[in-house]
């Protein structure tokens, strides 16, 4: 549908380049929505075989939809339910290799089968999550997960 940025096949090279591009794009002087819209577009090219990537912002007891790439998604995620909330509550990345076996998973796109959620922090507090869905069960191996988390971590503190 949309053109993609070409990236190297080697995962380490790929994510090192992606991280450098992300750092070049993002600037705390910009609006949060501006940074996150560009980050969502970059992640959509950088991570192969995904059907959705985007942000949910923590607003009191809700997670509300931020910039994303993919099909329209749930606007609001009710508190303490689903994979995104687990990452907020545990303050650490959550990986679900098969969402069909995750009690409480919120299916925004019925095609999604695996999901990685990375919390993003400001001043030590979770302010939002980066949510990545794939239609492939167990899409994200440990090496790639860690590389994605490292990229996402560069967004903390902005
Ligand atoms: N699956 C998520 C909801 C967001 S959508 O995947 C875009 C969850 O269980 O929190």
């Amino acid at each position: 549908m949309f053109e993609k940025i070409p990236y190297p096949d080697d995962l380490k090279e790929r994510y090192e380049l992606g991280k450098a591009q992300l750092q070049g794009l993002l600037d705390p002087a910009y609006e949060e929505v501006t940074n996150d819209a560009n980050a969502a577009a970059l992640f959509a090219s950088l991570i192969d075989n995904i059907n959705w990537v985007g942000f949910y912002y923590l607003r009191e007891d809700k997670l509300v939809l931020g910039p994303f790439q993919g099909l329209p998604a749930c606007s609001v995620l009710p508190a303490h339910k689903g994979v995104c909330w687990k990452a907020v509550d545990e303050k650490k990345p959550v990986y679900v290799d098969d969402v069909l076996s995750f009690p409480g998973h919120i299916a925004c796109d019925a095609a999604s089968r695996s999901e990685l959620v990375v919390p993003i922090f400001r001043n030590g507090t979770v302010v939002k999550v980066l949510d990545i869905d794939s239609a492939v069960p167990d899409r994200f191996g440990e090496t790639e997960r860690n590389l994605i988390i490292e990229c996402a971590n560069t967004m903390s503190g902005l």
Side-chain angles (χ1 to χ4, degrees):
M1 183 170 51
F2 297 109
E3 203 169 334
K4 285 198 162 196
I5 306 166
Y7 283 104
D9 289 333
D10 178 83
L11 288 181
K12 203 166 179 302
E13 282 176 33
R14 183 182 191 94
Y15 285 98
E16 262 169 24
L17 177 57
K19 191 164 80 171
Q21 289 176 330
L22 197 59
Q23 285 166 343
L25 270 176
L26 305 180
D27 189 322
Y30 297 151
E31 294 279 342
E32 183 172 21
V33 69
T34 306
N35 282 323
D36 292 349
N38 262 333
L42 190 142
F43 282 124
S45 277
L46 183 61
I47 310 169
D48 268 344
N49 286 322
I50 58 173
N51 60 339
W52 200 91
V53 58
F55 296 90
Y56 276 94
Y57 295 147
L58 188 58
R59 297 285 185 262
E60 297 176 357
D61 61 345
K62 293 184 181 71
L63 281 170
V64 303
L65 185 61
F68 68 95
Q69 303 262 310
L71 290 178
C74 309
S75 302
V76 179
L77 303 177
H80 312 298
K81 184 172 181 282
V83 188
C84 290
W85 267 102
K86 187 169 193 234
V88 172
D89 290 337
E90 294 186 352
K91 300 179 178 58
K92 61 179 193 201
V94 172
Y95 176 54
V96 177
D97 60 3
D98 186 353
V99 296
L100 302 182
S101 324
F102 183 93
H105 169 254
I106 300 167
C108 292
D109 180 343
S112 295
R113 288 298 302 277
S114 52
E115 180 162 4
L116 175 63
V117 181
V118 186
I120 311 287
F121 297 81
R122 199 176 293 137
N123 301 322
T125 303
V126 178
V127 289
K128 60 190 161 190
V129 296
L130 173 68
D131 180 20
I132 307 160
D133 290 350
S134 174
V136 181
D138 201 10
R139 158 67 189 83
F140 307 100
E142 193 182 356
T143 303
E144 190 165 5
R145 281 205 305 271
N146 288 334
L147 291 166
I148 293 171
I149 291 165
E150 210 182 302
C151 276
N153 284 346
T154 67
M155 301 194 66
S156 282
L158 274 178

